[in-house]
Amino acid sequence: MKRVSATFRLSRGRRVALAACALTSLIWSVANVPVAALDAPVPLLGKGKTVDWWFIYKFNGHDFSGCGADSGVRACPFGGKVRTKDGANYSQQFVFASKDAGKLVQGNGCVGTTLTDPLGATFDQLYNGSPYFVIWNDQFYGDPKLKACGSSGNCDSPWGHSKGMLAWNDAGEGLVLQVSTPSWPAAGSAKHPRKAGNTLGCVSTQNNLSNAQHFFALKLSKTDLIAVLEGLQNSSVVTDPTNGQIARLGGPSDVRDLAEKLGQKSASKKFIKTQLSSGVLLISKPSGLNVPPWQMVSALLDSTSERTATWWASPQIYSTGKTTKIGCWDDAVLTKKPGAIDIAKTGTWDGKSIGLIGGQNHAKIGVTTSGDKHYAIFGDLNQQGTINPPKCDRSQNGRGGMFFVVENKELFDTVSGLLEGDSAPVKAK
């Protein structure tokens, strides 16, 4: 009986050991499931509605004031207080398109203030989630305070005139959110709230609601994320990777190392042009490449002509033709000449004219108008500066920024319609 009992105990011990091994293997397997498959932040059209990219155009307060008839009760889900105006008037009415539906359609309510609009749903995923992130903006207006920006809270040339947020997970996959809004966003996590508020339209510092703005969100692979980080560094974006309000770094070591280098002025004088896995083309202009921004983009798109709408104000760069002399140029870096660049002064939506000059439009968007490619372009930089010496580093010529170029016929057609209207004249200045 003792021998049988001993045999039984030995068998039971082996079973316990085998069970422990199996449990350990299971725990290891679960722990090593790629995080990208579980919680990679992605662009959202609404809660749970994922897309590869989306684009939003927010109207100006003069032409489409308020939030529309179906705005409902206004809220500030990410902090702050409801602001009924910013300057003389305000608008949070918007139109949007996505990879799945490229035609611009009118959105409901106030953009960025709900969990059902693309901007609000996407930002909620980031702000109330736990991704790694970094936010950059040359116009934080002192919240957070950055040494580089001085007492005004504004970082001027040669810092990049660039604004946005990058978020990723442990596998290095995530999204980039390009914005044109001063003072928003300026906090990436509910754990580090912003004193001035962090909901678009509920920010106590100036957040430009009287002018039109644009927003562009794009899904990124790890390779894409690295490319965007390199572009941001090349553009001299304004941030502080050590400030918990606007940065939380982690993930793959190569990603983290690049993110840690952001917030420094780049000495680069060379553009970056790379195609991301989505097919979207990324262009990064360094502050040291002192050329007119949208002429540079045209040259990098094989001299394709463009129509663009930006904050067109003094010092204006007027429309240029194919034969217009561009003296502020670097032939060694930009081996092709630009096509014609048409400055949109007005556009059209729903049969109504909309203003697109400085004081009306702060978005930086464009479309190609020649060639066989149907590009919509979303950028950081305005057509401000000069095309001829002296002072080729004037205004936006001397600042860095990013451009995302999307080839999509439906999006191209509808953005072209949005920009249809009057143009600025051709002048050699």
Side-chain angles (χ1 to χ4, degrees):
M1 292 296 293
K2 290 182 180 179
R3 187 172 182 179
V4 171
S5 178
T7 302
F8 173 77
R9 285 196 299 271
L10 183 60
S11 176
R12 182 182 180 185
R14 286 176 176 171
R15 289 175 182 172
V16 170
L18 287 171
C21 287
L23 181 60
T24 301
S25 177
L26 178 60
I27 292 173
W28 186 92
S29 297
V30 171
N32 286 274
V33 170
V35 178
L38 299 175
D39 64 355
V42 293
L44 298 175
L45 288 181
K47 203 164 183 68
K49 301 176 182 178
T50 66
V51 287
D52 287 349
W53 57 257
W54 55 246
F55 163 67
I56 294 172
Y57 184 83
K58 184 197 79 66
F59 292 105
N60 71 61
H62 178 268
D63 297 324
F64 286 89
S65 63
C67 295
D70 300 325
S71 60
V73 178
R74 295 184 66 193
C76 302
F78 314 113
K81 295 181 180 180
V82 170
R83 292 170 59 81
T84 57
K85 64 180 181 178
D86 194 338
N89 44 51
Y90 85 100
S91 174
Q92 284 179 261
Q93 291 194 55
F94 67 103
V95 291
F96 70 98
S98 71
K99 173 68 180 298
D100 296 346
K103 182 179 179 180
L104 287 171
V105 295
Q106 187 93 33
N108 295 319
C110 304
V111 66
T113 66
T114 73
L115 304 187
T116 56
D117 73 87
L119 185 60
T122 300
F123 190 68
D124 175 67
Q125 172 196 198
L126 308 179
Y127 190 71
N128 291 309
S130 56
Y132 304 114
F133 67 88
V134 62
I135 297 173
W136 60 96
N137 198 311
D138 59 309
Q139 295 172 289
F140 279 128
Y141 290 101
D143 187 1
K145 292 182 179 180
L146 301 182
K147 292 181 180 179
C149 297
S151 59
S152 71
N154 231 344
C155 268
D156 298 320
S157 181
W159 284 105
H161 187 56
S162 183
K163 303 168 177 66
M165 181 174 183
L166 197 61
W168 66 94
N169 63 5
D170 283 324
E173 296 187 348
L175 65 84
V176 60
L177 173 63
Q178 180 190 57
V179 309
S180 63
T181 42
S183 196
W184 188 89
S189 171
K191 296 178 181 178
H192 295 276
R194 187 190 193 204
K195 294 179 182 178
N198 204 46
T199 306
L200 187 68
C202 302
V203 178
S204 60
T205 52
Q206 194 272 98
N207 62 341
N208 223 273
L209 291 182
S210 60
N211 293 287
Q213 308 286 351
H214 88 265
F215 308 85
F216 178 67
L218 176 66
K219 181 180 179 180
L220 302 175
S221 67
K222 182 191 173 186
T223 301
D224 297 336
L225 181 71
I226 288 174
V228 172
L229 283 166
E230 291 173 343
L232 292 171
Q233 184 179 359
N234 188 61
S235 299
S236 298
V237 298
V238 178
T239 188
D240 180 358
T242 67
N243 187 318
Q245 183 173 312
I246 54 174
R248 177 177 178 259
L249 305 187
S253 59
D254 49 352
V255 169
R256 187 172 60 252
D257 290 345
L258 284 170
E260 287 174 350
K261 295 177 183 177
L262 295 179
Q264 302 177 33
K265 291 179 182 177
S266 169
S268 172
K269 294 185 178 182
K270 295 184 178 181
F271 66 85
I272 291 176
K273 176 184 174 183
T274 185
Q275 190 169 52
L276 304 178
S277 63
S278 57
V280 173
L281 188 66
L282 167 67
I283 295 174
S284 167
K285 177 189 178 297
S287 299
L289 182 58
N290 299 151
V291 298
W294 288 81
Q295 276 77 4
M296 179 203 74
V297 172
S298 170
L300 295 178
L301 297 179
D302 296 324
S303 303
T304 301
S305 296
E306 300 166 349
R307 180 170 171 83
T308 184
T310 68
W311 178 265
W312 194 65
S314 181
Q316 293 102 329
I317 298 176
Y318 285 81
S319 297
T320 54
K322 290 183 178 180
T323 60
T324 302
K325 180 183 177 181
I326 310 295
C328 293
W329 205 247
D330 190 330
D331 291 318
V333 175
L334 298 167
T335 58
K336 294 185 178 181
K337 297 297 184 180
I341 308 299
D342 190 41
I343 305 299
K345 293 178 64 177
T346 63
T348 306
W349 179 256
D350 197 24
K352 183 177 181 179
S353 179
I354 56 176
L356 293 177
I357 63 173
Q360 300 170 327
N361 175 69
H362 197 256
K364 300 93 171 55
I365 62 176
V367 291
T368 53
T369 56
S370 70
D372 58 356
K373 299 290 187 181
H374 300 100
Y375 288 136
I377 308 164
F378 311 125
D380 287 326
L381 296 170
N382 306 315
Q383 276 295 75
Q384 292 177 285
T386 182
I387 61 173
N388 286 311
K391 298 183 179 179
C392 285
D393 62 347
R394 191 180 188 190
S395 191
Q396 306 279 282
N397 286 35
R399 304 197 69 174
M402 305 269 281
F403 297 83
F404 293 94
V405 183
V406 182
E407 184 178 10
N408 180 287
K409 181 63 165 59
E410 195 174 27
L411 179 68
F412 166 83
D413 286 341
T414 193
V415 176
S416 295
L418 183 72
L419 299 183
E420 186 175 343
D422 296 332
S423 300
V426 173
K427 289 187 179 181
K429 61 178 288 186

